[in-house]
Amino acid sequence: MLKILKYSFYDLMRSRWSYVYFLFYLILGFVLLFLNNDVNKAVITLMNIIIVLTPLIGTIFGVMYYYNSREFTELLLAQPINRKKIFMGQYLGISISLTLSLVLGLGIPFVLYGLFKSAAIFNFGLLLVVGSFLNFIFVALSYNIALSTENKIKGFGYAILMWLFLAVIYDGVFLISLVMFDEYPLDKFSLIATMLNPIDLSRILILLKLDISALLGYTGAVFRKFFGTNLGMLLSMSILVFWVLIPVLRMNLKLRKKDF
Amino acid sequence: MIEFKNLHKSFGKLVVLNDLDLNISEGGIFAILGPNGSGKTTLIKCLLGMVIPHKGEITYNNKSVLGKWDYRNDLNYLPQIANFPPNLTVKELIEMVKNLRPKQSNEQDLIKLFGLDDSLQKKLGNLSGGTKQKVNIVLTFMFDSNLIILDEPTNGLDPIALIHLKELIQKEKTKGKTILITTHIMSFVNEVADEIVFLLDGRIYFKGTVDELKKQTNNDNLEHAIANLIAKQYA
């Protein structure tokens, strides 16, 4: 598996898009820091961008890589390697290279700005951890979609729809249902609904840590009360881990029956 | 050496392999023939573990291959469509496949034989179809394995490369190897094949030597004998 990981990783590191993605974060980091002049504020702005952008890029990279390397995957499948290892290697290769773009792209400007002397280091660290989780989650989800869809265009469409649903539509439906049923107790509902969407969960996780959860109103209050601080963090993190594990598990199950 | 038992595979409603039984003994060149869509590639892919049959059993050297992968260390496969990652050079690709298969390889002789020395540093995306097929052949023949599977090996090859390919196949045969070939070029079959396996409607319709086939169909010409077999399907 390590060999496949290595080649997928090198292949992606050679692709122009990895650099574009890295440069984007690098420029974003510098611009935000020097315009805001405040690490904490920059972290909040970054959060809003990362929470929507990393899932989108993860989804697109995942689907594109799968469809573009189809014939090559066939060549690998005829070699004496377990097919699970081939796909896990590719999956980790994409996820790690995207995560590296994120961590280095944002890390460099923040370190240069004097992150280590700032109190915001934990918040920033959390932001990177959550961003990395979102990379791993959405590459896994998009790989699932690609494995289940033979047609490239359809697969691409489904993947974008999945992103649109989790990043935009889900929130809309969630809000509407909160308004519609506001006469009922909604604490549990809103908690569970938030956990079922990794993007929402990441947002809440960072906002809670930033101590601006009062801005969140209802949901924030519920979350504060339910999770406390450390326990809430632990629980949310483990749910993010599940969000990685379950798609990866399904990927492996799907692979057992898949024809190439 | 290879045994397919009651092999069944369908894609949706289309039944591709229908309770197929086939025995392939060790040594010799076997041509797998049949009209388009008769299941030749599916049969091969089942053996390679790329397509998973719904029913049946496949054994290689008396060991089941379904769900396994290590048996593939003892077989070489030439895929029908030679598409490689466009960003890699020929040399890098060869190194990579070598790295994935910890086995003795003799790629230098083959590179020289097919005149690929000048292409080694070129990116695979820039190669012509025929040159890609030559790279494909090098990747297939550079390992020493008991079973060699060739899916349409003559695709896009120029006459000289074709002669070299035939020589290679004969050389491997004299080493006692088993070679499975699918092709539509009958003259190629006539020249190299020891035995013919003819697939029709997902079953083995005929298995035997070229002469037996000619005798059975009362036809001296192999191309017509095969056409005769296919025509029965249309009738």
Side-chain angles (χ1 to χ4, degrees):
Chain A
M1 189 176 82
L2 278 175
K3 280 176 191 163
I4 309 276
L5 197 163
K6 199 178 85 187
Y7 285 111
S8 297
F9 184 76
Y10 278 149
D11 196 30
L12 279 164
M13 279 291 132
R14 270 187 196 196
S15 127
R16 201 161 10 124
W17 293 108
S18 299
Y19 290 100
V20 172
Y21 191 48
F22 165 72
L23 281 175
F24 171 79
Y25 276 129
L26 196 72
I27 293 166
L28 185 75
F30 275 116
V31 169
L32 279 179
L33 281 173
F34 290 97
L35 284 183
N36 265 333
N37 259 329
D38 180 349
V39 180
N40 253 322
K41 275 185 190 161
V43 168
I44 296 174
T45 316
L46 270 180
M47 178 205 77
N48 281 317
I49 295 170
I50 284 181
I51 262 163
V52 179
L53 196 70
T54 43
L56 178 65
I57 301 290
T59 306
I60 293 178
F61 260 72
V63 193
M64 285 222 303
Y65 191 86
Y66 176 84
Y67 287 117
N68 280 345
S69 57
R70 234 191 211 163
E71 284 88 8
F72 183 57
T73 308
E74 279 189 25
L75 182 89
L76 290 179
L77 283 166
Q79 305 300 328
I81 320 167
N82 190 341
R83 42 159 87 169
K84 272 186 195 168
K85 286 186 182 162
I86 298 175
F87 286 91
M88 286 316 289
Q90 289 182 350
Y91 164 65
L92 289 176
I94 306 170
S95 304
I96 291 173
S97 79
L98 286 180
T99 302
L100 214 65
S101 291
L102 172 77
V103 171
L104 289 180
L106 287 182
I108 292 170
F110 273 77
V111 167
L112 288 181
Y113 192 78
L115 175 75
F116 291 121
K117 285 178 228 145
S118 151
I121 184 160
F122 286 109
N123 292 340
F124 182 73
L126 182 68
L127 189 73
L128 291 186
V129 170
V130 166
S132 313
F133 262 120
L134 286 175
N135 270 333
F136 278 87
I137 291 169
F138 278 83
V139 174
L141 287 175
S142 66
Y143 242 70
N144 265 296
I145 290 174
L147 272 173
S148 308
T149 323
E150 274 304 304
N151 187 317
K152 192 175 177 173
I153 308 288
K154 267 192 195 162
F156 214 87
Y158 290 150
I160 295 292
L161 270 182
M162 184 255 319
W163 170 79
L164 197 70
F165 177 76
L166 289 176
V168 184
I169 299 171
Y170 192 91
D171 281 0
V173 175
F174 183 43
L175 279 177
I176 289 171
S177 54
L178 283 186
V179 173
M180 295 251 298
F181 298 104
D182 68 343
E183 284 167 18
Y184 300 89
L186 290 168
D187 317 28
K188 272 191 188 150
F189 167 74
S190 54
L191 269 177
I192 293 168
T194 308
M195 281 183 200
L196 289 179
N197 182 342
I199 297 183
D200 277 354
L201 186 64
S202 312
R203 187 181 292 138
I204 299 282
L205 196 64
I206 297 171
L207 286 180
L208 276 178
K209 199 69 199 163
L210 286 176
D211 256 348
I212 49 166
S213 52
L215 290 177
L216 275 175
Y218 184 71
T219 325
V222 169
F223 263 80
R224 270 267 123 120
K225 204 173 116 211
F226 185 77
F227 285 134
T229 42
N230 281 336
L231 182 70
M233 178 75 78
L234 212 70
L235 203 77
S236 322
M237 282 291 179
S238 39
I239 289 168
L240 283 180
V241 172
F242 270 111
W243 262 104
V244 179
L245 287 183
I246 290 167
V248 167
L249 215 69
R250 187 191 171 265
M251 216 160 94
N252 282 324
L253 283 179
K254 179 84 198 159
L255 276 177
R256 271 199 216 158
K257 291 196 179 139
K258 169 99 179 149
D259 296 324
F260 290 91
Chain B
M1 184 188 195
I2 311 164
E3 212 179 339
F4 299 88
K5 262 187 240 156
N6 302 324
L7 207 63
H8 192 93
K9 177 74 196 176
S10 51
F11 295 103
K13 278 182 186 162
L14 182 76
V15 178
V16 182
L17 300 177
N18 192 1
D19 278 330
L20 179 143
D21 287 290
L22 175 65
N23 240 316
I24 286 174
S25 48
E26 191 161 358
I29 301 171
F30 297 81
I32 298 174
L33 308 177
N36 302 24
S38 57
K40 301 182 295 280
T41 300
T42 307
L43 181 69
I44 283 178
K45 284 190 169 178
C46 279
L47 174 59
L48 287 163
M50 289 160 83
V51 168
I52 293 155
H54 290 127
K55 271 192 293 187
E57 178 63 88
I58 305 169
T59 55
Y60 177 50
N61 289 334
N62 296 321
K63 271 182 249 162
S64 172
V65 304
L66 299 175
K68 307 267 176 18
W69 54 271
D70 43 357
Y71 71 96
R72 286 200 287 265
N73 204 15
D74 198 30
L75 67 84
N76 300 341
Y77 168 60
L78 180 96
Q80 191 169 21
I81 305 163
N83 257 327
F84 303 116
N87 281 332
L88 289 179
T89 65
V90 176
K91 200 177 162 67
E92 281 170 326
L93 180 74
I94 292 174
E95 288 301 320
M96 178 184 156
V97 174
K98 267 168 70 180
N99 195 350
L100 290 171
R101 266 177 100 158
K103 217 175 167 183
Q104 198 67 36
S105 64
N106 64 332
E107 75 279 5
Q108 284 313 328
D109 303 340
L110 291 166
I111 289 168
K112 215 166 271 162
L113 183 68
F114 285 101
L116 286 173
D117 283 303
D118 298 333
S119 311
L120 279 181
Q121 300 303 333
K122 282 189 194 155
K123 285 198 173 167
L124 286 151
N126 300 334
L127 297 183
S128 74
T131 316
K132 270 190 201 163
Q133 183 69 353
K134 286 181 192 168
V135 175
N136 206 1
I137 290 173
V138 171
L139 288 177
T140 309
F141 282 94
M142 69 187 191
F143 296 108
D144 183 30
S145 297
N146 282 321
L147 176 62
I148 299 168
I149 300 170
L150 309 171
D151 199 352
E152 302 277 355
T154 53
N155 262 354
L157 288 182
D158 57 48
I160 297 177
L162 193 59
I163 292 171
H164 288 320
L165 175 68
K166 284 177 194 161
E167 285 168 1
L168 263 179
I169 294 174
Q170 291 300 345
K171 207 170 92 189
E172 296 298 320
K173 184 191 158 187
T174 53
K175 287 185 200 160
K177 300 195 173 162
T178 313
I179 300 157
L180 300 184
I181 303 174
T182 75
T183 180
H184 286 296
I185 317 279
M186 286 308 132
S187 56
F188 186 70
V189 175
N190 212 358
E191 228 172 301
V192 301
D194 298 323
E195 259 193 62
I196 288 177
V197 175
F198 193 83
L199 274 171
L200 196 65
D201 296 331
R203 290 167 192 264
I204 304 295
Y205 196 80
F206 173 87
K207 181 174 180 283
T209 61
V210 178
D211 291 334
E212 279 169 9
L213 177 70
K214 285 176 182 167
K215 208 183 268 173
Q216 194 182 323
T217 53
N218 283 327
N219 228 321
D220 266 351
N221 182 312
L222 180 67
E223 204 151 19
H224 285 104
I226 293 288
N228 200 324
L229 281 181
I230 298 178
K232 283 179 187 161
Q233 182 200 31
Y234 288 104

